[in-house]
Every structure is written in structure tokens, then in C-alpha cells.
């Protein structure tokens, strides 16, 4: 089997297993991981699962997880970056969580321009997996059920935006950003749930903007370049949407470490242009 097919199939199979077993982690305890973020038992469980399955593949040369300090060398092959259980704090309230994966042929450090595939899994009322690959024309969405992965349709972004999901408390964001948010929220319905994959899925279904800006608590934004911002930007840009950190595509961000963070905006082109125009004037 082709190396990339092996990786995609392994993520599908492991995501099925995660989906089936998440109820066992409904009351996951919260601690703090090495990079200062909250980490639940479920994060550690999902990280071990994906590590065991991916590191066993000939196709994987390195496993780089949000839940670990350093990359784990697995031999020759692709570098796989992963947020095994994105939005795990949502488990307590029984809301959606996800998995985000990036696949590089190059060694890290690398920008998103070196990505050759990205995937996201959304564990919602049903589980879907979205796959963008540089060797495929379309971004494919799969429905995962009964142990099978069914081709479900082509991923796309409507032209006419309807929703907006912006993170951060108002007092912790810049005044300029709050002005932009106020303008945009006149015409777009607020949709923010606190799990990037789930919030982005709404934007992709209805058109709109997802954003986690710089805040006083997170001066570089909260989301991680390698595990969240860049793979999701790859998926969005592949279907004609855009991404920005405020001034440039997230695919051009040069991370200064495996756990670097970046302000993250994803969505329809005209809304990303509004964000860049606003940030460009220093506000
Ligand atoms: O992984 C970080 C994360 O859980 C994202 O999935 C989510 O978008 C964000 O944190 C939520 O942060 P906050 O609770 O500050 O809105
Ligand atoms: Mn996450």
C-alpha cells in the first residue's frame, strides 16, 4: 500500500476506536502538560493510541504531538504532527472534540508550504474525517460508522458567509480587534464552542470566519502552529478559503519551536482580507 494511504487508513481506524471509547473518558481529570496547557486523561489516552498505531507504520519517520515535549523518532518516513484530542475541555460538557493531523515530507522546522497532507476528525453526533492530500485533486470527506469509512462528499466552502466564531474575552483582546469583531458580528451569527475543529466545521458548512486572536493571556494567540493552525489552514486553503496570522497566510508562518503559537484566522477570502486590513494598521 502507498505510504500516504497507510497513514490515512491508520488515522481512520484509530479515530473509529477513539469515537467508540470516548464515553470511558467522560469524566477525564484535568492536569497541566509540559508546555503549560491543560491536559486531561483523555488527551494522554488519545496520544498513546495514535502513537502506538502511527509509529508502527513503515511510512512514519517521526511522531510529533502536542502532548509531548519532543519529536519521537520512528525511523525513515513522513513526519506526522498531531493534536490527538483537540478541544478536550469540551468533554466535561459533552460537546464536540476533534483530532488534527499534518504530514510533512521535510524535517521540522518547516512551514506549512512543506505539508503534503492534512486531516481533521470531528467527533460530533457522528464522526467525520476530512483529508487533503497533495496527490489528490479534491478534499475528501468521510463518514466513519460501524467500523467503516464511507466516502461522503467533497469538502467545500460556501461563497456567502453566515457565521463567525471568535475566541477571547473582550477585555483581553485589543481595542482594534474588538472594533472589527463588532462590525463583523452585525451581519454574521456568532458560533463559538471552544474546540477548534468543531468551530471550524461550522464555518466550513455555512461560510464565515473562525478566529483565535492575540489576547493578554496568550500574546501570540493560543493555538499551536504545528498541531492546529497550519494543518487546518492547509485544509481551508485547498478548498479556496484563506488563512492568516494577521499579516500572512498561516502556511508561511515560521515557527520558533515545536510548541510555537500563532494568532489564527480561517475562513472566506473577503473576511480574511478584512482581518488583514485591520491588523495591517497596527490595531
Ligand atoms: O487546543 C486548544 C483549544 O482547546 C482549541 O481546540 C480551542 O479552540 C481552544 O483551546 C479554546 O480555548 P478557549 O477556552 O480559550 O476558548
Ligand atoms: Mn487543540
Amino acid at each position: 500500500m502507498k505510504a500516504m494511504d497507510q497513514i490515512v487508513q491508520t488515522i481512520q481506524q484509530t479515530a473509529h476506536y477513539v469515537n467508540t471509547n470516548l464515553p470511558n473518558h467522560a469524566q477525564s481529570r484535568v492536569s497541566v502538560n509540559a508546555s503549560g496547557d491543560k491536559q486531561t486523561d483523555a488527551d494522554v489516552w488519545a496520544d498513546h493510541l495514535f502513537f502506538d498505531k502511527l509509529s508502527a507504520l513503515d511510512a512514519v519517520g517521526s511522531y510529533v504531538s502536542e502532548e509531548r515535549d519532543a519529536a519521537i523518532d520512528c525511523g525513515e518516513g513522513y513526519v506526522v504532527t498531531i493534536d490527538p484530542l483537540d478541544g478536550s475541555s469540551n468533554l466535561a460538557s459533552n460537546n464536540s472534540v476533534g483530532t488534527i493531523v499534518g504530514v510533512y515530507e521535510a524535517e521540522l522546522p518547516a512551514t506549512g508550504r512543506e505539508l503534503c497532507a492534512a486531516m481533521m476528525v470531528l467527533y460530533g453526533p457522528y464522526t467525520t474525517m476530512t483529508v487533503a492530500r497533495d496527490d489528490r485533486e479534491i478534499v475528501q470527506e468521510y463518514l466513519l460508522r460501524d467500523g467503516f469509512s464511507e466516502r461522503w462528499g467533497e469538502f467545500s466552502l460556501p461563497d456567502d458567509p453566515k457565521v463567525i466564531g471568535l475566541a477571547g474575552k473582550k477585555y483581553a483582546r485589543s481595542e482594534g480587534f474588538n472594533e472589527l469583531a463588532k462590525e463583523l458580528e452585525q451581519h454574521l451569527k456568532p458560533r463559538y464552542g471552544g474546540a477548534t475543529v468543531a468551530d471550524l466545521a461550522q464555518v466550513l458548512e455555512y461560510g464565515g470566519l473562525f478566529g483565535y486572536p492575540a489576547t493578554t493571556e496568550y500574546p501570540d494567540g493560543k493555538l499551536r502552529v504545528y498541531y492546529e493552525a497550519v494543518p487546518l489552514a492547509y485544509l481551508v486553503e485547498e478548498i479556496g478559503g484563506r488563512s492568516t496570522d494577521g499579516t500572512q497566510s498561516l502556511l508561511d508562518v515560521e515557527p520558533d519551536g515545536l510548541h510555537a503559537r500563532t494568532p489564527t484566522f480561517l475562513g472566506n477570502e473577503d473576511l480574511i482580507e478584512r482581518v488583514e486590513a485591520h491588523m495591517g494598521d497596527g490595531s
Side-chain angles (χ1 to χ4, degrees):
M1 193 192 289
K2 219 176 144 182
M4 186 62 78
D5 293 334
Q6 273 184 32
I7 294 175
V8 172
Q9 211 181 78
T10 300
I11 306 280
Q12 280 170 336
Q13 287 163 356
T14 313
H16 270 297
Y17 187 85
V18 169
N19 171 43
T20 317
N21 288 278
L22 266 177
N24 299 334
H25 299 273
Q27 289 177 312
S28 230
R29 279 172 310 161
V30 180
S31 51
V32 176
N33 70 12
S35 53
D37 268 356
K38 284 185 183 156
Q39 186 184 54
T40 67
D41 294 348
D43 288 308
V44 177
W45 164 71
D47 176 59
H48 283 115
L49 273 178
F50 280 106
F51 174 71
D52 286 349
K53 299 296 175 193
L54 288 166
S55 63
L57 298 179
D58 288 343
V60 174
S62 178
Y63 178 86
V64 190
S65 168
E66 180 172 357
E67 305 305 334
R68 297 177 187 239
D69 276 351
I72 312 289
D73 187 4
C74 318
E76 290 284 298
Y78 288 106
V79 174
V80 176
T81 61
I82 188 162
D83 181 353
L85 204 59
D86 173 58
S88 53
S89 63
N90 267 8
L91 285 178
S93 58
N94 191 19
N95 275 288
S96 299
V97 293
T99 295
I100 307 168
V101 179
V103 185
Y104 296 81
E105 223 158 355
E107 292 301 311
L108 303 188
T111 70
R113 300 288 172 200
E114 310 280 348
L115 270 175
C116 41
M119 295 159 231
M120 72 177 199
V121 180
L122 174 56
Y123 309 96
Y126 48 89
T127 298
T128 51
M129 174 163 159
T130 309
V131 183
R133 296 169 55 155
D134 66 358
D135 60 347
R136 295 284 156 89
E137 287 291 308
I138 64 161
V139 177
Q140 181 72 49
E141 199 165 13
Y142 297 88
L143 179 64
L144 309 191
R145 66 169 165 190
D146 302 332
F148 294 98
S149 303
E150 184 180 308
R151 273 175 199 263
W152 204 41
E154 190 177 330
F155 212 44
S156 61
L157 179 66
D159 288 335
D160 182 21
K162 297 267 187 316
V163 301
I164 185 159
L166 297 178
K169 298 177 190 110
K170 276 191 190 152
Y171 87 90
R173 306 189 308 209
S174 73
E175 259 177 48
F177 187 81
N178 283 335
E179 259 168 47
L180 173 69
K182 199 169 161 191
E183 278 168 31
L184 296 175
E185 283 166 357
Q186 305 284 338
H187 302 287
L188 298 166
K189 266 200 281 191
R191 282 286 185 272
Y192 184 76
T196 314
V197 170
D199 289 328
L200 179 63
Q202 300 229 36
V203 164
L204 297 171
E205 180 66 29
Y206 302 113
L209 178 71
F210 166 81
Y212 206 121
T215 64
T216 46
E217 195 181 354
Y218 296 106
D220 296 324
K222 184 181 182 192
L223 302 185
R224 309 287 177 162
V225 177
Y226 282 122
Y227 313 113
E228 290 155 329
V230 163
L232 296 176
Y234 185 86
L235 283 164
V236 170
E237 295 205 10
E238 281 293 301
I239 58 170
R242 277 198 51 203
S243 74
T244 188
D245 66 353
T247 57
Q248 61 180 341
S249 163
L250 290 166
L251 299 178
D252 291 317
V253 169
E254 295 189 5
D256 62 0
L258 284 182
H259 291 279
R261 302 176 195 261
T262 176
T264 298
F265 302 92
L266 301 157
N268 286 78
E269 181 166 16
D270 48 338
L271 294 172
I272 296 294
E273 278 169 6
R274 298 269 302 268
V275 174
E276 287 187 339
H278 214 84
M279 303 283 197
D281 68 13
S283 51

